[in-house]
Amino acid sequence: MFEANNPEIDVDKLMQKIREEVANLKKESKIQLVSTPKPFSSLSIKTNSYTSAMNANLNYMEGLLKNAESRAVSRTKWPDNLNRFPFNFSKGIQKLALKILNFIFKDQREVNFNVIKALKESVALNRQLIGQIETLRSQLDQESHHLAAIDTRIQELCERFGTVDSSIQGIDFTFNNIDTCINNRLTLIQERLDTVDNQVKGIDERVDTVDNRVKGIDKRVDTVDELLNTKKVHNLPEFLEVTEESYINLAIALSKIPTEEHYKHDKKDLFYYLFENVFYQSDIVKEKQKFYLNFINKDLSVSYPFLDAGCGRGEFLQNLTESNIKCVGIDLNQLEIETLKKCGFNVHNAEILNFLENTSERYCGISALQVAEHLSIEDIHRFLILAFEKLVTDGVIIIETVNPHSLYALSNFYQDSTHVKPLPPEMLKFLLEWHGFKAVKIIYSSLIPESARIFPEQRMNYQDYAVVGYKKL
């Protein structure tokens, strides 16, 4: 009862309370240590709240210590609440009692004072620690701001480095494209240079060939000059008068048509009939054309007739008939056609192209001897097209004309006024091949007079040539 009214501090309770506060502080510090790191700004706010709580706790503890210190001093006054019955003792008893109590609790008071002093020092130390913590917090805040600025700068640098890296990749891709393009261009240029080089080599070869040909021509010209000098005729008169028999009288004499019947025939047909009698000797023509029989497929001739286009006086028809080859002849000259009919030949007075376009007959061979020079190049194309259509497979085509390589033949070419123009054998061979004929060959015939054979190139010494080709499928 006396202790209940005694204002002494309960040191155990006070220590227990201090232990609880310290335990709470340790618990909070552990939570702070294991928690997820926060940004610098949030850490600063958390530190502020923590130090504020510490200061509050220390203030509270100082209050407790002050209260405990005030209660721990020696009692010099009897408590007022003990002045009631039955504790309302006399003053002397009260003083004695106080002395006894003070003596009894003297050691306790010393302990209490020491504890209070120790706790005060602890509080002071805690305040110093809090001050140091705040100083460190301030420094930490500054460092955190500095680190935050550095972090922001690093992020900016990372972004810039990312941009620079992307730009570098783009530049690298562009350079790769440029490099590829340049390589392609260089390759193309090299290919073109190689092509040009090959073309230049080809041109060089052609130039060499032309040069060799020119040299050959020069040699031939020299040879001709030598031959001409060798064959040179001396003592020529200033004027040369040639007296020969009348051509027209000779033509009439050679004609099988009496003069009194000339009026019955077309003048154009009669003119050409008489002209041929003078300038084309029929027996020589017939003998020469026998050579072309060698190119006719005898087996095909059993089933298919042979067509002589532009048969004229019928020299080749005679050769075909004598070789037992069924034949048909066509010519524009009605006089000659009538003459051949009287001799028993199967002939028609018709234009060659019209006849071929309208006939349904198929032939083992078609000839056009001394006809092509009378046709335009367009008509020759058309004739070859129709001839290819009307020939059976393995059928032959034979085209004979004047040889333009022979100066002797060319000198007589326009003696026939119906001639259009001379045809080079190479060109006529190409035309046959163009229109589908195969195994085309050129055959030269009719040697010029021996006195005129002064040319080293053989083909220049023949008056005529023929191209022979076959229809092959």
Side-chain angles (χ1 to χ4, degrees), residues 284-306:
I284 296 177
V285 171
K286 179 176 179 292
E287 186 62 28
K288 182 190 75 169
Q289 290 180 352
K290 283 182 180 180
F291 181 76
Y292 300 133
L293 297 173
N294 297 318
F295 301 104
I296 301 173
N297 188 318
K298 298 298 191 304
D299 295 331
L300 289 178
S301 67
V302 175
S303 304
Y304 301 97
F306 189 98

Short mmCIF file of all heavy atoms in Angstrom, two decimals, residues 284-306:
data_model
loop_
_atom_site.label_atom_id
_atom_site.label_comp_id
_atom_site.label_asym_id
_atom_site.label_seq_id
_atom_site.Cartn_x
_atom_site.Cartn_y
_atom_site.Cartn_z
N ILE A 284 22.67 -26.68 -179.53
CA ILE A 284 23.67 -26.49 -178.46
C ILE A 284 22.98 -26.39 -177.09
O ILE A 284 23.45 -26.98 -176.10
CB ILE A 284 24.51 -25.23 -178.73
CG1 ILE A 284 25.31 -25.42 -180.03
CG2 ILE A 284 25.44 -24.95 -177.55
CD1 ILE A 284 26.11 -24.20 -180.44
N VAL A 285 21.86 -25.65 -177.05
CA VAL A 285 21.11 -25.52 -175.79
C VAL A 285 20.61 -26.88 -175.33
O VAL A 285 20.73 -27.25 -174.15
CB VAL A 285 19.93 -24.55 -175.97
CG1 VAL A 285 19.02 -24.56 -174.75
CG2 VAL A 285 20.43 -23.14 -176.24
N LYS A 286 20.06 -27.67 -176.25
CA LYS A 286 19.52 -29.00 -175.90
C LYS A 286 20.62 -29.91 -175.37
O LYS A 286 20.44 -30.60 -174.37
CB LYS A 286 18.88 -29.62 -177.15
CG LYS A 286 18.30 -31.02 -176.92
CD LYS A 286 17.59 -31.50 -178.17
CE LYS A 286 17.02 -32.89 -177.98
NZ LYS A 286 18.04 -33.93 -177.83
N GLU A 287 21.77 -29.87 -176.02
CA GLU A 287 22.87 -30.73 -175.58
C GLU A 287 23.36 -30.33 -174.18
O GLU A 287 23.65 -31.20 -173.36
CB GLU A 287 24.01 -30.63 -176.59
CG GLU A 287 25.15 -31.59 -176.34
CD GLU A 287 24.73 -33.05 -176.43
OE1 GLU A 287 23.76 -33.36 -177.17
OE2 GLU A 287 25.34 -33.91 -175.75
N LYS A 288 23.46 -29.05 -173.94
CA LYS A 288 23.93 -28.58 -172.62
C LYS A 288 22.95 -28.97 -171.51
O LYS A 288 23.34 -29.38 -170.41
CB LYS A 288 24.12 -27.07 -172.64
CG LYS A 288 24.65 -26.52 -171.32
CD LYS A 288 24.61 -25.01 -171.26
CE LYS A 288 23.19 -24.51 -171.05
NZ LYS A 288 23.15 -23.05 -170.74
N GLN A 289 21.64 -28.84 -171.76
CA GLN A 289 20.62 -29.05 -170.73
C GLN A 289 20.43 -30.52 -170.38
O GLN A 289 19.76 -30.83 -169.38
CB GLN A 289 19.29 -28.43 -171.18
CG GLN A 289 19.33 -26.90 -171.21
CD GLN A 289 18.02 -26.29 -171.65
OE1 GLN A 289 17.09 -27.01 -172.09
NE2 GLN A 289 17.92 -24.97 -171.58
N LYS A 290 21.02 -31.45 -171.18
CA LYS A 290 20.93 -32.86 -170.82
C LYS A 290 21.57 -33.13 -169.45
O LYS A 290 21.18 -34.07 -168.76
CB LYS A 290 21.65 -33.71 -171.89
CG LYS A 290 20.86 -33.90 -173.17
CD LYS A 290 21.63 -34.79 -174.13
CE LYS A 290 20.84 -34.99 -175.42
NZ LYS A 290 21.58 -35.87 -176.40
N PHE A 291 22.53 -32.30 -169.08
CA PHE A 291 23.24 -32.49 -167.79
C PHE A 291 22.28 -32.43 -166.61
O PHE A 291 22.48 -33.11 -165.61
CB PHE A 291 24.33 -31.41 -167.65
CG PHE A 291 25.13 -31.52 -166.39
CD1 PHE A 291 26.11 -32.49 -166.25
CD2 PHE A 291 24.90 -30.67 -165.32
CE1 PHE A 291 26.85 -32.58 -165.09
CE2 PHE A 291 25.63 -30.76 -164.15
CZ PHE A 291 26.61 -31.72 -164.03
N TYR A 292 21.21 -31.63 -166.71
CA TYR A 292 20.29 -31.44 -165.58
C TYR A 292 19.42 -32.67 -165.32
O TYR A 292 18.79 -32.77 -164.26
CB TYR A 292 19.41 -30.22 -165.82
CG TYR A 292 20.21 -28.93 -165.97
CD1 TYR A 292 19.93 -28.05 -167.01
CD2 TYR A 292 21.23 -28.62 -165.10
CE1 TYR A 292 20.66 -26.88 -167.17
CE2 TYR A 292 21.97 -27.46 -165.25
CZ TYR A 292 21.69 -26.59 -166.28
OH TYR A 292 22.42 -25.44 -166.44
N LEU A 293 19.39 -33.62 -166.28
CA LEU A 293 18.62 -34.86 -166.07
C LEU A 293 19.19 -35.66 -164.90
O LEU A 293 18.48 -36.46 -164.28
CB LEU A 293 18.62 -35.71 -167.34
CG LEU A 293 17.94 -35.09 -168.57
CD1 LEU A 293 18.16 -35.98 -169.80
CD2 LEU A 293 16.44 -34.89 -168.33
N ASN A 294 20.46 -35.45 -164.60
CA ASN A 294 21.11 -36.21 -163.53
C ASN A 294 20.55 -35.89 -162.14
O ASN A 294 20.75 -36.67 -161.20
CB ASN A 294 22.62 -35.93 -163.53
CG ASN A 294 23.28 -36.37 -164.81
OD1 ASN A 294 22.99 -37.46 -165.32
ND2 ASN A 294 24.16 -35.54 -165.37
N PHE A 295 19.85 -34.75 -162.00
CA PHE A 295 19.37 -34.33 -160.68
C PHE A 295 17.92 -34.72 -160.43
O PHE A 295 17.38 -34.42 -159.37
CB PHE A 295 19.53 -32.81 -160.55
CG PHE A 295 20.95 -32.35 -160.71
CD1 PHE A 295 21.35 -31.74 -161.89
CD2 PHE A 295 21.88 -32.55 -159.71
CE1 PHE A 295 22.66 -31.31 -162.04
CE2 PHE A 295 23.19 -32.13 -159.87
CZ PHE A 295 23.58 -31.52 -161.05
N ILE A 296 17.28 -35.38 -161.42
CA ILE A 296 15.87 -35.75 -161.29
C ILE A 296 15.77 -37.15 -160.70
O ILE A 296 16.45 -38.08 -161.13
CB ILE A 296 15.16 -35.70 -162.66
CG1 ILE A 296 15.26 -34.29 -163.24
CG2 ILE A 296 13.70 -36.12 -162.54
CD1 ILE A 296 14.74 -34.17 -164.66
N ASN A 297 14.90 -37.28 -159.67
CA ASN A 297 14.67 -38.57 -159.03
C ASN A 297 13.79 -39.42 -159.95
O ASN A 297 12.60 -39.15 -160.15
CB ASN A 297 13.97 -38.35 -157.67
CG ASN A 297 13.88 -39.62 -156.86
OD1 ASN A 297 13.58 -40.69 -157.38
ND2 ASN A 297 14.10 -39.50 -155.55
N LYS A 298 14.40 -40.46 -160.55
CA LYS A 298 13.69 -41.28 -161.53
C LYS A 298 12.50 -42.01 -160.91
O LYS A 298 11.46 -42.22 -161.58
CB LYS A 298 14.65 -42.29 -162.16
CG LYS A 298 15.81 -41.67 -162.93
CD LYS A 298 15.32 -40.86 -164.10
CE LYS A 298 16.48 -40.45 -165.03
NZ LYS A 298 17.55 -39.70 -164.39
N ASP A 299 12.63 -42.40 -159.63
CA ASP A 299 11.51 -43.10 -158.97
C ASP A 299 10.31 -42.17 -158.82
O ASP A 299 9.16 -42.60 -159.02
CB ASP A 299 11.96 -43.61 -157.60
CG ASP A 299 13.04 -44.68 -157.71
OD1 ASP A 299 13.04 -45.39 -158.73
OD2 ASP A 299 13.86 -44.78 -156.79
N LEU A 300 10.57 -40.91 -158.44
CA LEU A 300 9.46 -39.95 -158.32
C LEU A 300 8.83 -39.65 -159.67
O LEU A 300 7.62 -39.42 -159.76
CB LEU A 300 9.97 -38.65 -157.67
CG LEU A 300 10.34 -38.70 -156.19
CD1 LEU A 300 10.87 -37.33 -155.75
CD2 LEU A 300 9.13 -39.06 -155.33
N SER A 301 9.66 -39.64 -160.72
CA SER A 301 9.13 -39.29 -162.05
C SER A 301 8.16 -40.33 -162.59
O SER A 301 7.41 -40.06 -163.53
CB SER A 301 10.30 -39.11 -163.03
OG SER A 301 10.96 -40.34 -163.26
N VAL A 302 8.15 -41.52 -161.98
CA VAL A 302 7.18 -42.55 -162.41
C VAL A 302 5.77 -42.15 -162.00
O VAL A 302 4.80 -42.40 -162.72
CB VAL A 302 7.56 -43.91 -161.79
CG1 VAL A 302 6.50 -44.97 -162.11
CG2 VAL A 302 8.92 -44.36 -162.31
N SER A 303 5.66 -41.49 -160.83
CA SER A 303 4.34 -41.14 -160.31
C SER A 303 3.97 -39.67 -160.52
O SER A 303 2.79 -39.33 -160.51
CB SER A 303 4.29 -41.45 -158.81
OG SER A 303 4.60 -42.80 -158.56
N TYR A 304 4.98 -38.81 -160.67
CA TYR A 304 4.71 -37.37 -160.77
C TYR A 304 5.41 -36.79 -162.00
O TYR A 304 6.55 -37.17 -162.30
CB TYR A 304 5.21 -36.64 -159.52
CG TYR A 304 4.58 -37.13 -158.23
CD1 TYR A 304 5.23 -38.08 -157.45
CD2 TYR A 304 3.33 -36.66 -157.82
CE1 TYR A 304 4.66 -38.53 -156.26
CE2 TYR A 304 2.76 -37.11 -156.65
CZ TYR A 304 3.43 -38.05 -155.87
OH TYR A 304 2.86 -38.50 -154.71
N PRO A 305 4.74 -35.88 -162.72
CA PRO A 305 5.35 -35.28 -163.91
C PRO A 305 6.39 -34.23 -163.53
O PRO A 305 6.46 -33.78 -162.39
CB PRO A 305 4.16 -34.64 -164.63
CG PRO A 305 3.22 -34.29 -163.52
CD PRO A 305 3.36 -35.39 -162.50
N PHE A 306 7.17 -33.82 -164.54
CA PHE A 306 8.16 -32.75 -164.36
C PHE A 306 7.63 -31.51 -165.07
O PHE A 306 7.14 -31.59 -166.21
CB PHE A 306 9.51 -33.17 -164.95
CG PHE A 306 10.63 -32.23 -164.62
CD1 PHE A 306 11.49 -32.50 -163.57
CD2 PHE A 306 10.82 -31.06 -165.36
CE1 PHE A 306 12.53 -31.64 -163.27
CE2 PHE A 306 11.85 -30.19 -165.06
CZ PHE A 306 12.71 -30.48 -164.00
#
